């Protein structure tokens, strides 16, 4: 018995040793990359953040709701956000991805965390150029310079899981080569398990906050994003679905020099969609850009159900093409593939929000899993305050004051928001992230009060709802009636927006003349 225990102990130690050696080898013998070290960093960070909140906020002899308490809370959030950013940068990979997700939830988390972690959208840590060449060599079993005539050492951009380099093929064609960080796949499984443990600890320290949904989403999405062949297929599928959108450009995939860790694409130039100076310099109409973006994403969400779910500014480029602007969509690794049932229910929820119909909002939120929090989910979906929703989101312009009021209330509602995110239909999570990223772009370009986006979204919602009715229609007569009803509804919708437009005709006419003159945002 004693001998068997010793053998078991020796085998366990040997297994851990071999696993550690394999991890070290995959990470070029970087001690900091070992699973236990990464776990240790994360655990220490959680302890330090939790201790700071306990000491400087929860045990402070300050009354909740006072200005002093709000100041202390903001300082605690800033401290926690900085420590979380440092952890993400140290552990890289999956941690960067989670940090980016947090940085995208502009309307759902404290602004201190969102602002700090948004840095990761454009400043993720880089892999060495030697690592880039090694990954290419490992995947294609040949020297990279047998494939490419040249590869630029400095990346065009760096993300959580990969970085992109400009290269020239042997025939002189310029391409963009996306190369996965060498160690990210090795560390991904351990990182997700680590985060699951840390979230349980965090929930124990802060019982009001439930972040299991974030781990679940990461666990589900990371394997998909780590397979670049899936990303290539997503890009081609989207291009086929939107082939009639002549202004939407998707880079061509070079399949003969692509693998699960290397994706070679057509090289496309343009400025980031939130680069105000670039848009001004190139005479790009800000309203045209956000209208096209709104039209594209409304069609994705409400009509096709195939949604590009990482529209942060680094993944969307704009390029002037004659008298109009092209939208270039990059990074097709993460997509929401919505079921018809979810898409139809979400469309009905949006129509209820646009109508200010509380009963309908409650009904559709219940079907999405959070009937008790229908008001909160409606605000999260629309990014508007409850007062605005009740009085008509189409009638009231979105303002800086409303944004500030919305974000001021978020810290007071975090336990409820956490509850919604835990209970709501899982498909909603990527949609909420996508909505927030789009709104962030609109806010940067100062086009959030546009009328056309609501019109396009409303039309897509109507088409989606009638699509459900058509599916269950069994006779030609009923289908004819539905077709007439759909067209009549769309016509009435158009009349309504014409009516709203007439009210502001002089203002819009002035805006148009100014835009035609210098293309600057108003």
């Amino acid at each position: 018995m004693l001998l068997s225990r010793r053998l078991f102990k020796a085998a366990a130690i040997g297994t851990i040793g071999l696993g550690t050696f394999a991890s070290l080898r995959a990470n070029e013998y970087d001690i900091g990359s070992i699973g236990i070290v990464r776990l240790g960093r994360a655990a220490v960070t959680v302890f330090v953040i939790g201790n700071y909140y306990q000491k400087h906020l929860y045990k402070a002899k300050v009354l909740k709701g006072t200005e002093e308490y709000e100041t202390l809370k903001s300082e605690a959030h800033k401290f926690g956000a900085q420590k979380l950013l440092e952890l993400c940068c140290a552990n890289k990979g999956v941690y960067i991805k989670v940090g980016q997700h947090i940085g995208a939830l502009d309307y759902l988390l404290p602004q201190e965390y969102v602002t700090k972690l948004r840095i990761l959208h454009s400043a993720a840590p880089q892999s060495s150029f030697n690592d880039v060449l090694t990954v290419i060599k490992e995947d294609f079993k040949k020297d990279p310079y047998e494939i490419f005539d040249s590869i630029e050492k400095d990346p065009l951009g760096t993300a959580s899981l990969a970085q992109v380099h400009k290269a020239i093929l042997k025939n002189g064609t310029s391409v963009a080569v996306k190369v996965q960080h060498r160690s990210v796949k090795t560390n991904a499984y351990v990182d997700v398990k680590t985060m699951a443990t840390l979230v349980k600890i965090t929930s124990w320290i802060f019982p009001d906050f439930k972040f299991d949904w974030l781990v679940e989403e990461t666990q589900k999405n990371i394997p998909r994003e780590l397979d670049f062949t899936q990303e290539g297929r997503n890009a081609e599928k989207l291009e086929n679905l939107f082939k009639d959108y002549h202004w939407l450009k998707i880079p061509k995939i070079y399949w003969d020099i692509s693998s699960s860790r290397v994706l070679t694409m057509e090289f496309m130039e343009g400025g980031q969609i939130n680069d105000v100076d670039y848009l001004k310099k190139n005479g790009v109409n800000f309203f045209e850009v956000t209208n096209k973006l709104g039209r594209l994403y409304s069609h994705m969400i409400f009509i096709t159900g195939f949604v590009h779910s990482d529209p942060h500014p680094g993944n969307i480029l704009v390029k002037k093409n004659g008298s109009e602007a092209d939208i270039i969509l990059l990074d097709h690794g993460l997509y929401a593939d919505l079921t018809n049932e979810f898409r139809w229910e979400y469309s009905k929820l949006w129509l209820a929000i646009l109508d200010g119909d509380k009963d309908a909002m409650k009904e559709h939120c219940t079907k999405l899993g959070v009937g008790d929090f229908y008001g909160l989910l409606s605000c999260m979906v629309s990014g508007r305050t409850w007062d605005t929703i009740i009085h008509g989101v189409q009638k009231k312009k979105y303002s800086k004051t409303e944004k500030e009021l919305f974000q001021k209330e978020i810290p007071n509602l975090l336990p409820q928001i956490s509850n919604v995110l835990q209970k709501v239909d899982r498909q909603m999570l990527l949609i909420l992230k996508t909505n927030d990223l789009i709104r962030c772009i609109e806010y940067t370009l100062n086009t959030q009060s546009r009328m056309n986006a609501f019109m396009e979204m409303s039309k897509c919602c109507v088409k989606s709802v009638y699509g459900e009715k058509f599916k269950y229609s069994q006779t030609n007569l009923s289908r004819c009636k539905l077709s007439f009803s759909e067209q009549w509804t769309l016509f009435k919708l158009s009349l309504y927006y014409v009516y709203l437009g007439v009210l502001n005709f002089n203002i819009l006419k002035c805006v148009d003349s100014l835009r035609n003159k210098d293309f600057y945002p108003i």
Side-chain angles (χ1 to χ4, degrees), residues 363-429:
E363 177 189 346
H364 301 306
C365 285
T366 299
K367 291 179 180 177
L368 290 169
V370 285
D372 292 342
F373 296 99
Y374 73 93
L376 182 56
L377 181 60
S378 299
C379 292
M380 290 164 68
V381 162
S382 63
R384 309 299 295 268
T385 63
W386 181 246
D387 182 65
T388 298
I389 291 172
I390 293 303
H391 290 93
V393 293
Q394 311 102 310
K395 300 174 186 176
K396 186 176 179 181
K397 279 188 175 183
Y398 183 80
S399 64
K400 183 178 180 181
T401 303
E402 186 178 356
K403 177 182 171 72
E404 289 173 350
L405 179 62
F406 195 103
Q407 291 178 331
K408 183 181 178 181
E409 289 302 315
I410 286 173
N412 302 323
L413 296 170
L414 279 179
Q416 293 93 325
I417 290 173
S418 178
N419 230 326
V420 169
L421 295 174
Q422 192 71 19
K423 292 179 178 179
V424 76
D425 188 307
R426 300 290 88 185
Q427 296 173 85
M428 183 65 80
L429 297 176

Side-chain angles (χ1 to χ4, degrees), residues 311-515:
H312 70 75
N315 289 338
I316 309 175
L317 305 182
V318 177
K319 186 177 182 181
K320 188 77 172 180
N321 184 4
S323 62
E324 63 174 341
D326 286 341
I327 304 292
I328 302 168
L329 203 55
L330 308 175
D331 197 339
H332 300 271
L334 184 59
Y335 271 76
D337 210 346
L338 308 178
T339 64
N340 285 336
E341 290 70 26
F342 172 84
R343 185 167 53 81
W344 294 330
E345 211 54 60
Y346 185 58
S347 299
K348 292 171 189 173
L349 173 59
W350 253 113
L351 288 176
I353 291 170
L354 293 172
D355 289 341
D357 187 336
K358 289 193 290 185
D359 291 337
M361 280 183 252
K362 185 172 184 178
E363 177 189 346
H364 301 306
C365 285
T366 299
K367 291 179 180 177
L368 290 169
V370 285
D372 292 342
F373 296 99
Y374 73 93
L376 182 56
L377 181 60
S378 299
C379 292
M380 290 164 68
V381 162
S382 63
R384 309 299 295 268
T385 63
W386 181 246
D387 182 65
T388 298
I389 291 172
I390 293 303
H391 290 93
V393 293
Q394 311 102 310
K395 300 174 186 176
K396 186 176 179 181
K397 279 188 175 183
Y398 183 80
S399 64
K400 183 178 180 181
T401 303
E402 186 178 356
K403 177 182 171 72
E404 289 173 350
L405 179 62
F406 195 103
Q407 291 178 331
K408 183 181 178 181
E409 289 302 315
I410 286 173
N412 302 323
L413 296 170
L414 279 179
Q416 293 93 325
I417 290 173
S418 178
N419 230 326
V420 169
L421 295 174
Q422 192 71 19
K423 292 179 178 179
V424 76
D425 188 307
R426 300 290 88 185
Q427 296 173 85
M428 183 65 80
L429 297 176
L430 282 179
I431 296 300
L432 288 170
K433 173 190 172 185
T434 302
N435 286 349
D436 282 347
L437 285 168
I438 297 293
R439 276 195 290 264
C440 187
I441 291 169
E442 291 172 352
Y443 191 80
T444 300
L445 299 184
N446 194 25
T447 61
Q448 63 273 28
S449 61
R450 74 206 187 289
M451 191 77 68
N452 288 347
F454 272 123
M455 177 62 178
E456 190 62 39
M457 187 177 65
S458 301
K459 284 164 60 179
C460 286
C461 286
V462 168
K463 289 176 182 177
S464 174
V465 170
Y466 273 93
E468 178 185 16
K469 294 178 180 179
F470 275 114
K471 182 175 180 180
Y472 296 110
S473 176
Q474 296 180 349
T475 67
N476 288 334
L477 179 60
S478 63
R479 282 192 284 271
C480 284
K481 287 181 179 178
L482 283 173
S483 181
F484 176 79
S485 179
E486 179 184 15
Q487 293 306 315
W488 177 241
T489 302
L490 291 172
F491 176 70
K492 289 191 294 183
L493 193 61
S494 297
L495 285 180
Y496 176 65
Y497 276 94
V498 167
Y499 165 71
L500 289 179
V502 167
L503 293 179
N504 296 294
F505 178 74
N506 290 329
I507 296 173
L508 291 174
K509 190 174 180 181
C510 178
V511 168
D512 283 337
S513 68
L514 286 169
R515 286 205 310 245

Side-chain angles (χ1 to χ4, degrees), residues 123-306:
Q126 294 181 16
S127 290
S128 68
F129 187 59
N130 183 56
D131 267 5
V132 169
L133 296 179
T134 300
V135 170
I136 295 173
K137 187 174 182 179
E138 287 175 350
D139 276 27
F140 297 108
K141 311 303 179 189
K142 60 172 69 174
D143 188 283
Y145 292 102
E146 292 179 42
I147 304 169
F148 305 102
D149 191 58
S150 65
I151 309 172
E152 291 186 1
K153 289 189 175 182
D154 294 327
L156 297 169
T158 304
S160 54
L161 307 180
Q163 60 193 49
V164 180
H165 291 257
K166 185 178 180 181
I168 308 293
L169 299 180
K170 293 296 183 180
N171 64 6
T173 303
S174 294
V175 293
V177 187
K178 182 175 181 178
V179 182
Q180 197 170 107
H181 297 311
R182 191 179 176 195
S183 62
V184 73
K185 190 173 286 188
T186 309
N187 295 326
Y189 178 78
V190 174
D191 286 346
V192 171
K193 290 291 184 185
T194 299
M195 280 188 283
T197 303
L198 293 175
V199 163
K200 285 182 172 61
I201 295 171
T202 305
S203 298
W204 178 67
I205 298 173
F206 308 109
D208 285 338
F209 302 101
K210 301 176 181 67
F211 288 102
D212 300 69
W213 60 271
L214 187 56
V215 175
E216 290 169 12
E217 283 302 294
T218 303
Q219 200 162 13
K220 181 179 72 178
N221 292 325
I222 284 296
R224 301 176 188 173
E225 292 190 79
L226 287 172
D227 182 2
F228 288 178
T229 59
Q230 180 62 49
E231 178 175 346
R233 289 192 292 272
N234 287 341
E236 292 187 339
K237 179 176 178 179
L238 190 78
E239 185 175 32
N240 184 57
L241 286 171
F242 290 89
K243 57 188 175 186
D244 294 334
Y245 282 40
H246 66 276
W247 43 263
L248 176 64
K249 306 299 179 185
I250 308 294
K252 170 190 170 185
I253 306 298
Y254 289 83
W255 285 110
D256 56 328
I257 39 177
S258 293
S259 66
S260 63
R261 295 193 299 168
V262 179
L263 191 65
T264 304
M265 302 163 282
E266 175 185 3
F267 179 75
M268 289 186 166
E269 291 184 283
Q272 285 192 186
I273 196 168
N274 67 340
D275 188 339
V276 173
D277 291 336
Y278 173 88
L279 298 183
K280 286 181 179 180
K281 184 179 178 181
N282 288 273
V284 175
N285 185 318
F286 288 21
F287 286 87
E288 177 197 355
V289 168
T290 50
N291 284 345
K292 284 180 173 176
L293 194 65
R295 181 182 171 193
L296 174 64
Y297 273 87
S298 291
H299 198 135
M300 284 184 193
I301 293 170
F302 299 111
I303 306 298
T304 68
F306 188 64

